[in-house]
């Protein structure tokens, strides 16, 4: 949000307040612009004839007095798919950009919620887990990136950072190794941090809601000196929340100070940092038995709030931070140099007693359908990562041929040290749990001792001639890994090629081919280190961002068909003498169709829509998963949301629908998750500098199954959650 101040005295106290806040934070765009003036919106439409000009003038007159409430609701540009600032319709890859305007309007709290109205990706795979974001993207688990650098992920591919600290979420679908190196073929998720701005703005917010949800948050940005050479930003969150599970409490403190030094008109340096501490007390992690959840239990149905852990013993503690900078220098109008650097740390300590299924007779039937066995699984993990990405980008114009060039080198040193323990814990009654049993933490044993060094050299070249856009890219990676003294070296070249055709009206069909690779830890029975898995994808689609719409009208429609394959997948060794060993003869194929729509009309109507069809299969395997669908990959998903805000910008409301088709929770497809339809609603009211917002997820309080992985591992989905938010803008 940008709020213009006319008095110099106001600027003085604003600079002083922000300077003190950022300085204190370093020592130890804000909310959806609901009151921005209409003339602040950039007109990106292009007049092609007199009739279009007349339409624009007529629309502008109609919009007089209309408050611009979400000027960036519809994204137009990305530099994450190819690390070049190019329009989305020129990118030969399916990319979804979810800007802060959408996040704020719909009050999404984490990544699992952000992707509810995005095609090709599903979240909340284990229900409402307060620790991590469990996502599946085109059949695979996507790794998280922060500002274009891989986050400090360890045994889980997410880090659970608070979403409030970020300006955009980018979902890159399909192989992305050409730009980002080692990654699965399904794609990656990138989070872009909030950055200092040249004009003062800010907000303070408070939230209260279901399950004892209490949150305070604030975000301030602006110049730190009179000349505007130094800009600052401070973003912070505190919350104390419960969950729908009895006896679970979650606490979080998050702070992200940032400073930009405008060294010259052509050179700037932005220092970025974040610090987050999490405590989750009492969480048993779900792990409910299938009888009474997905299958009948003669004693009744297991309630959705059931906790089979130990509330006074179980504890998840996490401390993580990232410190670094973004540097940019412009040599001239055509060439520039950019560098991103971050040092990450992620330290997790877990004590967890959880359900291990109903006590069984010798024939495998439950003894009494109520006694639940339990395990005790402490787990500690410390991940540290140093990442730096340096690149030169430029453009060359030769006659009718325009080129955008990118040459880069990145380096990452990653360490992961983990230890675990395991023991049997006292059993518990499924229908009348009594807590407080004596629990002894078992000793810990090494689980992972990994050091990985990755160096990548990459290049991209975009050719534009007339209406044609050709994008070519290649990358060479050298990866050295050491785990418990076992060293491996992997060298891999990945590449991509894409072709777009840009019609004058904003229609842009495209076709592309891309490859990926990802190292695999471990070795076969003979001690030979596993090779990286390799992925490839053919994708064809069309993007439509109309150029003929008048002011106040913007939309983006994307449609894609793809065929994705992965080889060198681990599968059980067929030799009966090699029990518990694997070989790399497995293969996977995922085919799909995706349709996505986002629009903002007359600064009053907002639309989101997505449809996903996915056909996944294990095509080669020595195990029971041969010919089966991939885990947690629904065949079909459909979602739609509409928001209406009156012309004054004061009162508005939204209604959304999500359909998630059936999927399987285990590789052998023995455990089916039934389909579900969920509804979401929002009511928001803005007055002067105040915003009141009521958000309801799962409006009709539908009880549903998120996943069953086995007889002892079932997870309920999120019940109705109501949150009331009060925000004061500055």
């Amino acid at each position: 949000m940008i709020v213009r101040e006319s008095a110099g005295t106001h600027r003085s106290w604003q600079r002083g307040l922000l300077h003190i806040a950022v300085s204190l934070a370093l020592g130890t765009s804000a909310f959806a612009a609901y009151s921005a003036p209409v003339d602040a919106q950039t007109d990106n439409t292009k007049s092609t004839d007199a009739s279009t000009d007349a339409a624009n003038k007529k629309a502008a007159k109609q919009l007089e007095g209309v408050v611009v409430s979400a000027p960036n609701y519809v994204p137009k540009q990305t530099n994450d798919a190819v690390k070049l600032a190019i329009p989305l319709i020129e990118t030969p890859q399916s990319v979804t950009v979810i800007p802060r305007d959408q996040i704020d309007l719909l009050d999404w709290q984490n990544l699992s919620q952000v992707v509810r109205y995005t095609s090709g990706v599903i979240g909340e795979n284990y229900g409402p887990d307060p620790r991590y974001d469990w996502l599946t993207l085109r059949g695979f688990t996507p790794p998280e990136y922060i500002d274009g650098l891989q986050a400090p992920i360890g045994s889980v591919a997410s880090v659970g950072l608070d979403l409030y600290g970020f300006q955009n979420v980018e979902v890159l679908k399909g192989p992305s190794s050409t730009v980002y190196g080692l990654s699965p073929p399904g794609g990656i998720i990138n989070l872009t941090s909030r950055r200092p701005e040249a004009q003062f703005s800010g907000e303070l917010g408070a939230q209260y809601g279901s399950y004892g949800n209490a949150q305070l948050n604030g975000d301030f940005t602006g110049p730190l000196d009179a000349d505007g050479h130094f800009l600052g930003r401070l973003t912070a969150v505190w919350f104390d929340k419960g969950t729908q599970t009895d006896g679970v409490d979650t606490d979080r403190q998050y702070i992200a100070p940032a400073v930009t030094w405008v060294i010259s008109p052509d050179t700037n340096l932005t220092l970025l940092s974040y610090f987050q501490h999490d405590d989750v007390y009492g969480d048993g992690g779900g792990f409910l038995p299938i009888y009474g959840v997905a299958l009948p239990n003669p004693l009744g149905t297991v309630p959705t709030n059931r906790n089979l852990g130990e509330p006074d013993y179980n504890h998840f503690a996490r401390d993580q931070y990232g410190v670094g900078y973004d540097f940019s220098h412009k040599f001239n109008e055509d060439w520039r140099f950019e560098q991103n650097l971050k040092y990450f740390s992620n330290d997790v300590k877990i004590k967890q007693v959880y359900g291990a299924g109903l006590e069984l007779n010798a024939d495998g039937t439950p003894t009494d359908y109520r006694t639940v066995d339990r395990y005790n699984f402490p787990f500690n993990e410390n991940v540290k990562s140093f990442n730096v990405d340096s690149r030169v980008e430029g453009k060359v114009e030769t006659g009718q041929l325009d080129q955008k060039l990118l040459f880069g080198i990145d380096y990452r040193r990653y360490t992961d040290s983990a230890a675990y323990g395991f023991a049997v814990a006292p059993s518990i009654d499924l229908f009348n749990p009594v807590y407080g049993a004596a629990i002894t933490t078992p000793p810990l044993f090494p689980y992972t001792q990994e050091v990985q060094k990755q160096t990548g050299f990459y290049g991209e070249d975009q050719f534009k001639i007339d209406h044609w856009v050709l994008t070519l890219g290649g990358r060479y990676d050298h990866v050295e890994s050491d785990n418990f003294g076992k060293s491996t070296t992997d060298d891999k070249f990945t590449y991509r090629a894409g072709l777009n055709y840009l019609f004058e009206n904003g229609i842009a069909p495209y076709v592309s081919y891309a490859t990926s690779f990802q190292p695999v830890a471990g070795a076969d029975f003979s001690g030979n280190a596993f090779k990286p898995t390799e992925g490839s994808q053919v994708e064809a689609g069309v993007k439509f961002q109309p150029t003929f719409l008048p002011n106040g009208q913007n939309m983006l429609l994307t449609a894609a068909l793809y065929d994705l394959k992965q080889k060198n997948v681990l599968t059980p060794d067929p030799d009966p003498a090699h029990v518990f060993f694997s070989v790399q003869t497995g293969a996977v194929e995922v085919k799909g169709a995706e349709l996505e729509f986002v629009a903002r009309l007359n600064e009053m109507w907002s639309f989101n829509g997505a449809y996903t069809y996915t056909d996944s299969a294990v095509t080669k395997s020595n195990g029971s998963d041969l010919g089966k669908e991939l885990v947690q990959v629904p065949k079909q998903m459909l979602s739609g949301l509409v928001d209406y805000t009156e012309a004054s910008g004061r009162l508005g409301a939204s209604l959304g629908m999500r359909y998630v088709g059936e999927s399987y929770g285990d590789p052998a497809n023995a455990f089916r998750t039934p389909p579900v339809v969920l509804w979401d609603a929002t009511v928001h009211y803005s007055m002067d500098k105040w915003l009141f917002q009521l958000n309801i997820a799962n409006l009709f309080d539908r009880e549903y199954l998120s996943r069953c992985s086995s007889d002892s591992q079932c997870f309920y989905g999120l019940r109705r959650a109501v949150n009331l938010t009060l925000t004061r803008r500055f």
Side-chain angles (χ1 to χ4, degrees):
M1 180 188 71
I2 296 176
V3 179
R4 291 181 172 83
E5 296 286 349
S6 58
T9 54
H10 287 185
R11 296 193 187 97
S12 178
W13 73 261
Q14 291 164 355
R15 285 197 302 269
L17 177 63
L18 185 61
H19 188 277
I20 292 172
V22 173
S23 298
L24 287 173
L26 288 174
T28 61
S29 37
F31 185 88
Y34 275 89
S35 61
V38 68
D39 61 1
Q41 185 186 18
T42 302
D43 179 13
N44 291 299
T45 59
K46 180 171 64 177
S47 298
T48 57
D49 53 35
S51 61
T52 304
D53 288 337
N56 284 340
K57 292 178 181 178
K58 180 180 179 181
K61 185 174 181 179
Q62 292 173 342
L63 285 172
E64 288 180 2
V66 175
V67 174
V68 178
S69 58
N72 300 311
Y73 195 89
V74 180
K76 297 179 181 178
Q77 183 168 291
T78 181
N79 64 348
D80 293 303
V82 294
K83 294 188 179 179
L84 286 170
I86 63 174
L88 280 168
I89 61 170
E90 295 182 11
T91 306
Q93 179 181 358
S94 292
V95 180
T96 297
V97 179
I98 306 165
R100 172 53 56 180
D101 278 1
Q102 288 189 35
I103 296 170
D104 282 333
L105 185 65
L106 304 174
D107 191 40
W108 288 322
Q109 300 288 306
N110 53 56
L111 277 180
S112 290
Q113 297 175 5
V114 160
V115 300
R116 286 174 174 172
Y117 297 92
T118 299
S119 64
V121 57
I122 182 173
E124 301 172 295
N125 290 341
Y126 291 95
D129 191 330
R131 305 165 303 165
Y132 294 106
D133 300 305
W134 302 99
L135 306 177
T136 302
L137 175 57
R138 286 190 176 178
F140 299 87
T141 302
E144 286 184 17
Y145 281 69
I146 300 172
D147 298 322
L149 303 172
Q150 190 172 114
I153 55 179
S155 55
V156 179
S158 88
V159 291
L161 273 175
D162 200 284
L163 188 63
Y164 187 73
F166 297 94
Q167 191 66 27
N168 294 316
V169 175
E170 296 90 14
V171 183
L172 278 64
K173 306 170 189 177
S176 300
S177 289
T178 304
V179 177
Y180 291 98
L182 53 162
S183 61
I188 68 169
I189 306 289
N190 182 62
L191 303 172
T192 301
S193 300
R194 298 187 191 236
R195 283 166 165 74
E197 297 177 1
Q199 204 159 18
F200 177 83
S201 65
E203 70 174 21
L204 286 173
Q207 184 178 95
Y208 186 78
S210 300
Y211 315 116
N213 171 21
Q215 174 174 309
L216 297 174
N217 53 264
D219 177 48
F220 291 90
T221 185
L224 298 176
D225 65 326
D227 297 326
H229 292 305
F230 292 93
L231 313 175
R233 188 155 201 159
L234 181 64
T235 306
V237 176
W238 169 89
F239 70 59
D240 183 353
K241 301 181 179 182
T243 72
Q244 69 185 39
T245 305
D246 285 344
V248 179
D249 186 69
T250 66
D251 299 332
R252 172 171 295 171
Q253 299 90 45
Y254 172 90
I255 188 168
V259 173
T260 293
W261 177 20
V262 184
I263 303 172
S264 74
D266 297 324
T267 308
N268 65 76
L269 175 69
T270 298
L271 305 178
L272 295 167
S273 63
Y274 68 83
F275 306 86
Q276 180 171 307
H277 174 75
D278 291 289
D279 284 302
V280 181
Y281 299 97
D283 187 16
F287 293 98
L288 301 172
I290 196 169
Y291 294 102
V293 177
L295 294 178
N297 186 316
L299 302 181
T301 300
V302 179
T304 56
N305 63 351
R306 179 63 71 238
N307 187 351
L308 297 182
E310 276 293 329
D312 292 332
Y313 174 83
N314 288 11
H315 183 210
F316 172 92
R318 176 174 57 204
D319 287 286
Q320 59 177 316
Y321 66 86
V323 179
Y325 65 79
D326 288 1
F327 175 79
S328 176
H329 175 70
K330 185 177 178 182
F331 297 107
N332 51 46
E333 293 300 320
D334 296 330
W335 291 91
R336 66 188 297 125
F337 170 79
E338 293 184 342
Q339 185 178 77
N340 306 71
L341 180 148
K342 270 194 179 67
Y343 178 80
F344 295 106
S345 176
N346 189 1
D347 186 71
V348 176
K349 291 180 172 59
I350 303 174
K351 292 194 302 181
Q352 181 170 310
V353 170
Y354 63 96
L358 291 173
E359 184 181 77
L360 302 177
N361 294 309
D363 61 358
T365 60
T367 56
D368 57 7
Y369 284 91
R370 68 184 309 147
T371 301
V372 177
D373 293 328
R374 295 192 298 176
Y375 293 141
N376 187 358
F377 183 72
F379 185 80
N380 295 343
E381 185 169 33
N382 182 272
V383 177
K384 298 187 183 301
S385 179
F386 173 79
N387 304 49
V388 58
D389 181 12
S390 307
R391 56 199 177 274
V392 175
E393 61 179 85
K395 58 183 180 179
V396 178
E397 298 180 0
T398 307
Q400 293 184 329
L401 177 64
D402 294 338
Q403 281 183 270
K404 287 186 177 180
L405 300 164
L406 177 73
F407 304 98
I409 176 173
D410 59 29
Y411 173 79
R412 178 173 181 257
R413 187 183 189 276
Y414 164 91
T415 64
D416 184 358
S417 176
Y420 76 100
F422 185 79
V424 175
S427 60
I428 197 169
D429 192 313
L430 178 62
F431 293 99
N432 184 30
V434 177
Y435 307 111
I439 305 294
T440 301
T441 303
L444 302 185
F445 300 94
Y447 176 75
T448 301
Q449 291 289 339
E450 183 179 10
V451 178
Q452 187 179 83
K453 300 177 183 178
Q454 173 256 324
T455 303
F457 304 88
Y458 61 90
E460 294 273 348
D461 196 347
Q462 184 199 66
F463 301 86
K464 292 182 68 175
I465 181 169
D466 195 19
H467 294 277
W468 294 95
V469 181
L470 174 65
T471 303
L472 301 175
R475 178 186 176 103
Y476 170 79
D477 276 288
H478 176 77
V479 182
E480 297 177 0
S481 300
D482 184 287
N483 197 359
F484 290 113
K486 179 69 174 180
S487 298
T488 59
T489 300
D490 296 308
D491 295 277
K492 187 64 182 176
F493 179 78
T494 53
Y495 59 95
R496 60 181 289 173
L499 182 65
N500 300 63
Y501 186 85
L502 309 179
F503 289 95
E504 292 286 351
N505 58 6
I507 296 177
Y510 70 93
V511 62
S512 66
Y513 181 81
T515 62
S516 69
F517 89 107
Q518 188 175 26
V520 178
D524 61 16
F525 180 80
S526 301
N528 299 314
F530 290 130
K531 299 180 294 184
T533 61
E534 299 179 20
S536 62
Q537 176 186 273
V538 176
E539 179 174 310
V542 61
K543 302 182 181 185
F544 180 39
Q545 191 152 34
T547 59
F548 51 80
L549 293 178
N551 290 343
Q553 320 276 343
N554 198 7
M555 67 176 64
L556 174 65
L557 186 148
T558 61
L561 300 172
Y562 67 90
D563 186 351
L564 185 159
K565 297 178 181 178
Q566 185 187 40
K567 63 180 183 179
N568 297 339
V569 178
L570 295 184
T571 186
D573 192 321
D575 191 327
H578 300 168
V579 181
F580 304 122
F581 283 89
S582 298
V583 293
Q584 283 190 287
T585 58
V588 169
E589 183 172 17
V590 183
K591 301 177 182 180
E594 297 168 356
L595 181 65
E596 196 168 289
F597 175 73
V598 59
R600 180 75 174 169
L601 304 178
N602 293 330
E603 301 303 343
M604 292 181 285
W605 291 94
S606 299
F607 299 92
N608 292 76
Y611 171 75
T612 302
Y613 174 82
T614 309
D615 182 14
S616 65
V618 177
T619 55
K620 294 182 180 179
S621 176
N622 299 323
S624 59
D625 59 343
L626 179 62
K628 305 298 185 180
E629 296 181 18
L630 295 182
V631 172
Q632 210 65 15
V633 181
K635 183 80 72 173
Q636 296 190 78
M637 295 190 296
L638 176 67
S639 62
L641 180 141
V642 58
D643 180 272
Y644 174 77
T645 302
E646 63 176 2
S648 67
R650 289 181 179 266
L651 182 63
S654 68
L655 182 66
M657 182 278 295
R658 296 176 277 135
Y659 167 78
V660 180
E662 69 174 34
S663 61
Y664 293 97
D666 67 307
N669 291 181
F671 299 91
R672 184 182 71 93
T673 303
V676 64
V677 176
L678 303 170
W679 294 83
D680 306 313
T682 301
V683 178
H684 48 87
Y685 181 77
S686 182
M687 181 178 64
D688 296 328
K689 296 180 181 295
W690 293 91
L691 174 72
F692 302 86
Q693 189 160 319
L694 179 69
N695 294 85
I696 307 174
N698 193 355
L699 178 63
F700 300 110
D701 198 20
R702 176 75 180 272
E703 293 186 23
Y704 69 100
L705 186 66
S706 177
R707 177 179 186 175
C708 273
S709 304
S710 68
D711 286 341
S712 61
Q713 298 179 15
C714 289
F715 305 84
Y716 281 118
L718 178 65
R719 296 282 298 272
R720 179 166 54 209
V722 182
N723 287 314
L724 178 64
T725 305
L726 172 64
T727 303
R728 173 64 161 88
R729 301 182 302 271
F730 298 90

